Amino acid sequence: MEFRQATEKDQSVLKKIKRYAFSRENRYDEPETSSPSTEPYPLRDYVVEDQSKIVAVIGVIDFSQRVRGVFVKMAGMSAVACRPEYRRQGYIAKLFQFVFEELHQQEYLVSTLYPFNFNFYERLGYGQADSIHVYTVKTSDIIQRPTPNRIIMEDFDPNYERCQPLYERLSLQLDGLAKRPDHVWKYLRGWDWTKHGFQFICQDLDGNDLGYLILRFEQKTQTKPFSYLEVREMVFFDSETKQAFLNFLANHDSQRKYVKFAPFDRNYLPFLKSPRIKENQIVANSMFRIINVEQLLPKLTYSKDVNAQITIDIQEYLNLCPWNNRQFTLEVSNGKGNITSSGSEIIVQLGIKEFSQIVIGFHTPHEFAEVGKIKGSSLAYDTLASIFPKQTTSLREYF
């Protein structure tokens, strides 16, 4: 096998491999009626060859993601594909090992992806990082309350320039979010704005932008049993703006009986006339993995109320990142952490997947202890949980 970064000459071959893996068109070329696709985030492809034939590819996207209060260098893995006749022979795992070595040299600290199969990527050290809560409610069930200090107006800017600083403000508050460059807004896959949509801004009486709402009208189809108003993204920072947006959605009852939204926050039942809503779905979303434990931990922000020391014995799956496969003693005080050479009497042993999920805040050590995925004392679990408390995280780039 030969591993390398792809070149421009490889693109026609890679396009066919990816189209076979991901396309629903059953053809290698672009359909004549399709609109030109625009990739919001450029890929840097890595390939593995067998007898001079490219058999698998992994695309890497440069991101900056917020982890425990700080933005760190993150590699988004996308377009992971293998020719069908070469699958289940270890090519993807070996290519991941090569890519991780390259990313380690380039000082990436973490990696995220949107999986086609969670179990497959768990074997590579990734763990679920967040869930999306999708609510489908009757527009007539939304309780309308007065918001005299808020004004909602439609905006027609295709580049979403007024939305951008509001999202940036949110990204400074919510872990998991990635910095979103200006040029990607128009083409975000999760929004699919090649199919169009509408944007609205909420202001106070002084004309300050306080939030935005992006929505689409979805029709009933074979895959969609009923029509609904879909909120693609809703950002706000105070309860009055939140209520103003809900009032706005409720006023669409003559256009759509239902509204579907997947907000960043979870408190919506008090805003409804009945808790018996049509749908309340929890959808597993992204996966997260630490590439470099030693370099990541000192960069994070910790609670100033925590003063602790713990030795963390990391086990790397398939030894994909061998530099992680050892013990690290983390000392936390005054909101900062550092890796120290002195060991601690408090020791936990766990895999890189489990440790990654604890750091991002998706699971607690005690939750893993229930299923035997971590070894240590109750004191060790309590200590690790105090350093990395469970929290809500979110990633909405859909690369």
Side-chain angles (χ1 to χ4, degrees), residues 165-193:
L166 294 167
Y167 172 85
E168 183 178 1
R169 178 181 170 186
L170 181 67
S171 72
L172 296 174
Q173 300 177 10
L174 182 59
D175 269 6
L177 291 181
K179 287 187 177 180
R180 192 178 284 174
D182 296 350
H183 67 274
V184 310
W185 278 75
K186 189 175 181 178
Y187 302 106
L188 281 175
R189 283 183 177 173
W191 293 358
D192 200 5
W193 286 129

Side-chain angles (χ1 to χ4, degrees), residues 7 28 34 56 144 160 181 237 303 309 317 336 338 366 386:
T7 66
Y28 286 119
S34 69
Q144 297 204 48
Y160 306 93
F237 303 95
S303 171
Q309 187 183 75
Y317 300 109
K336 297 182 178 179
N338 67 82
H366 302 87
S386 68

Side-chain angles (χ1 to χ4, degrees), residues 95-139:
L95 182 54
F96 259 99
Q97 184 174 26
F98 171 78
V99 172
F100 284 145
E101 290 174 352
E102 292 289 301
L103 297 177
H104 181 236
Q105 294 298 320
Q106 297 167 28
E107 299 183 339
Y108 285 86
L109 301 183
V110 300
S111 174
T112 64
L113 54 80
Y114 289 98
F116 75 94
N117 181 291
F118 278 83
N119 181 255
F120 175 83
Y121 287 106
E122 284 179 345
R123 296 197 295 269
L124 302 178
Y126 288 87
Q128 183 181 349
D130 68 327
S131 297
I132 295 178
H133 285 241
V134 185
Y135 304 92
T136 304
V137 306
K138 288 183 177 180
T139 48

Side-chain angles (χ1 to χ4, degrees), residues 254-315:
S254 62
Q255 293 174 278
R256 289 293 186 273
K257 183 177 180 180
Y258 296 102
V259 57
K260 179 181 286 190
F261 56 104
F264 292 101
D265 65 324
R266 306 279 168 82
N267 184 32
Y268 284 88
L269 292 183
F271 292 85
L272 304 176
K273 296 176 183 177
S274 171
R276 291 179 175 173
I277 64 179
K278 185 171 183 62
E279 292 178 346
N280 185 358
Q281 298 175 299
I282 301 177
V283 182
N285 196 38
S286 67
M287 300 186 80
F288 174 83
R289 188 200 206 280
I290 298 174
I291 294 177
N292 192 324
V293 173
E294 184 175 20
Q295 294 298 317
L296 175 67
L297 297 186
K299 293 183 180 295
L300 306 182
T301 299
Y302 301 88
S303 171
K304 292 185 178 181
D305 296 330
V306 175
N307 290 282
Q309 187 183 75
I310 189 170
T311 295
I312 307 164
D313 189 352
I314 302 292
Q315 296 174 318

Side-chain angles (χ1 to χ4, degrees), residues 16-22 55-56 80-92 116 120:
K16 288 183 171 62
I17 294 175
K18 294 175 184 178
R19 182 164 283 273
Y20 187 90
F22 306 114
V55 300
V80 179
C82 182
R83 294 182 186 271
E85 65 269 31
Y86 289 91
R87 293 172 187 168
R88 294 182 174 86
Q89 298 178 46
Y91 287 97
I92 290 293
F116 75 94
F120 175 83

Side-chain angles (χ1 to χ4, degrees), residues 150-175:
R150 296 293 180 268
I151 300 171
I152 293 179
M153 61 183 65
E154 189 173 7
D155 195 58
F156 301 92
D157 179 13
N159 296 309
Y160 306 93
E161 291 187 1
R162 293 172 67 184
C163 299
Q164 292 182 34
L166 294 167
Y167 172 85
E168 183 178 1
R169 178 181 170 186
L170 181 67
S171 72
L172 296 174
Q173 300 177 10
L174 182 59
D175 269 6

